[in-house]
Amino acid sequence: FKEMLPPDWDILSVILLLALVLRMWFALSYDATLYDQAGEGVRYIGMIGGEPIDSSSPPLYIMFLRICLAAFGRGAAKAAFVIKGILGTVSVALIYYIAREMSDRTTAVAAAAISALYVNYMMVALALSPRVPGIVAVLAVTLILMKAGERKRDYGIAGGLLGLGILVDPYILLFVPGFLVVSGNRKIFFLVLLAALLPWTLRNSVNEGVLLPVYSPGALELDFSRWVIRDIKDVYQLVDKLYINGSMLFSIGGGWVQSSSSTASDSIRDSSSFGAYFYMMISLGGLVGLLRYHEKRHRVLLYSVLIYLGLLILFSTTRNTNRLLAEHLPIFYSAVFLMRIVRRFRPAPQE
């Protein structure tokens, strides 16, 4: 059994335990119900209560919330927050293994530690947003594609997992082009992805008359009819529109807890504000690390995230919560930058 563990299993275990404790503290400290939500979660309320799932909502995530409601009643929200806290801990482990594939052990440990302490990852779990399971799906697909090599089965697993991820958090749909670019077997990956999305796509085509895997035109979120280039008459208007969408996406504000009441404790609100400064640090460190230390073996991570962000700015009603699906990129490169600094000041070994 010990041979199956990573070389840094003892340090990684401490980091994962810390990540779990922090996430459980946030989940148990936030006193809210499924019906005490604002922002993205408002439009899920009726469907959680039993109304038909519309084509503009993630079906698997709605089913997850329905199960929480049936099993825990008024405690459903807290149960959902706890489960998402556990999934958040899984994402820390996945970031470690992704960083281990692309770099050395110490950088992987640093990336795991940063993600374990990253407040925005904890805050987003305290809302009805499906971002947390979405993050886990994106990280898992990234890791599988990095390790797949010539194994066709792995590309099928990655395609199926990506399809299920889209049905949990439809913003993942924008990762499809990037993952196709870096996939070693695009045919198997894409066919399995289509198979995973086919049942819900056919359901939407019957109900809406449009072949869309999740969203219908007019949805509150991802809406291809809002393509920013549409109706733009000159290049200055285009640049201005892209700037507005980009600045909204990367804004520093940390309002992750979306609640319609004042149920969040002062400590949680303070943590949310601190998350904005944490985001600034990993963004600056990640940018320096990306510009100075990127390598060819980073292509799966780099291309998938950059293409996602580009499509997000072009096609989406952007909000800063949407970038959380891509923040493993600056986390990794900030860890790379941090370890380069540590090694520079480390005393030389004595001969």
Side-chain angles (χ1 to χ4, degrees):
F1 174 74
K2 193 173 181 179
E3 295 177 355
M4 299 172 60
L5 297 174
D8 303 298
W9 67 269
D10 48 351
I11 302 175
L12 180 61
S13 298
V14 173
I15 292 172
L16 293 178
L17 179 61
L18 174 63
L20 181 62
V21 169
L22 288 172
R23 283 154 177 77
M24 291 301 100
W25 182 85
F26 277 110
L28 298 174
S29 298
Y30 186 45
D31 185 19
T33 70
L34 289 179
Y35 304 99
D36 177 32
Q37 295 288 326
E40 186 177 355
V42 169
R43 62 193 180 90
Y44 298 155
I45 298 300
M47 289 175 282
I48 296 170
E51 294 178 6
I53 302 175
D54 62 39
S55 62
S56 65
S57 300
L60 293 186
Y61 187 66
I62 300 297
M63 292 176 188
F64 160 70
L65 293 175
R66 284 181 176 179
I67 292 172
C68 288
L69 182 62
F72 299 99
R74 290 186 59 83
K78 189 152 291 188
F81 300 155
V82 167
I83 293 171
K84 288 197 284 184
I86 296 171
L87 289 175
T89 305
V90 172
S91 71
V92 174
L94 290 171
I95 287 174
Y96 168 84
Y97 284 105
I98 289 171
R100 189 72 182 87
E101 285 294 311
M102 299 191 299
S103 189
D104 53 74
R105 292 164 52 185
T106 54
T107 301
V109 169
I114 292 171
S115 59
L117 298 171
Y118 190 35
V119 177
N120 292 345
Y121 274 174
M122 305 177 207
M123 291 289 98
V124 76
L126 306 181
L128 288 190
S129 163
R131 265 331 74 79
V132 174
I135 291 169
V136 173
V138 169
L139 292 174
V141 173
T142 301
L143 181 60
I144 292 170
L145 291 179
M146 283 180 175
K147 297 174 70 68
E150 300 297 323
R151 296 187 296 274
K152 295 181 179 180
R153 182 186 64 179
D154 287 359
Y155 292 104
I157 293 172
L161 184 58
L162 185 63
L164 295 177
I166 292 170
L167 298 178
V168 171
D169 185 348
Y171 274 96
I172 297 176
L173 187 65
L174 295 180
F175 270 96
V176 173
F179 281 137
L180 280 173
V181 168
V182 299
S183 176
N185 193 318
R186 297 184 181 92
K187 183 178 179 180
I188 292 178
F189 178 81
F190 191 62
L191 287 176
V192 177
L193 169 65
L194 289 181
L197 294 176
L198 184 61
W200 195 252
T201 302
L202 293 176
R203 183 261 192 191
N204 284 349
S205 69
V206 172
N207 289 357
E208 305 287 342
V210 182
L211 280 173
L212 287 174
V214 177
Y215 281 111
S216 63
L220 297 179
E221 299 299 328
L222 186 60
D223 182 358
F224 290 97
S225 69
R226 292 174 58 88
W227 191 22
V228 299
I229 296 179
R230 181 184 179 184
D231 298 328
I232 290 179
K233 297 181 174 60
D234 58 67
V235 67
Y236 300 105
Q237 189 179 359
L238 172 61
V239 171
D240 182 61
K241 187 69 174 179
L242 293 176
Y243 171 77
I244 292 172
N245 273 16
S247 60
M248 289 176 62
L249 179 62
F250 297 107
S251 62
I252 296 173
W256 307 108
V257 179
Q258 299 286 337
S259 175
S260 60
S261 75
S262 58
T263 53
S265 67
D266 290 338
S267 58
I268 289 180
R269 276 192 285 269
D270 292 341
S271 298
S272 183
S273 299
F274 174 71
Y277 297 103
F278 204 156
Y279 165 70
M280 289 177 60
M281 288 188 290
I282 71 160
S283 296
L284 292 175
L287 180 61
V288 175
L290 171 61
L291 294 176
R292 295 195 61 181
Y293 306 118
H294 70 275
E295 302 175 17
K296 186 177 180 180
R297 58 177 170 165
H298 300 169
R299 60 187 293 270
V300 174
L301 173 65
L302 191 59
Y303 292 175
S304 62
V305 169
L306 292 183
I307 291 173
Y308 165 76
L309 292 174
L311 294 175
L312 192 63
I313 292 172
L314 283 173
F315 288 110
S316 174
T317 307
T318 55
R319 296 183 307 184
N320 55 12
T321 54
N322 302 336
R323 70 169 183 254
L324 285 167
L325 289 171
E327 288 193 349
H328 52 290
L329 177 70
I331 286 174
F332 168 70
Y333 280 110
S334 61
V336 172
F337 179 53
L338 175 63
M339 296 315 300
R340 293 297 178 105
I341 294 176
V342 170
R343 287 166 187 154
R344 180 173 299 179
F345 290 99
R346 180 185 296 169
Q350 298 292 330
E351 296 184 1

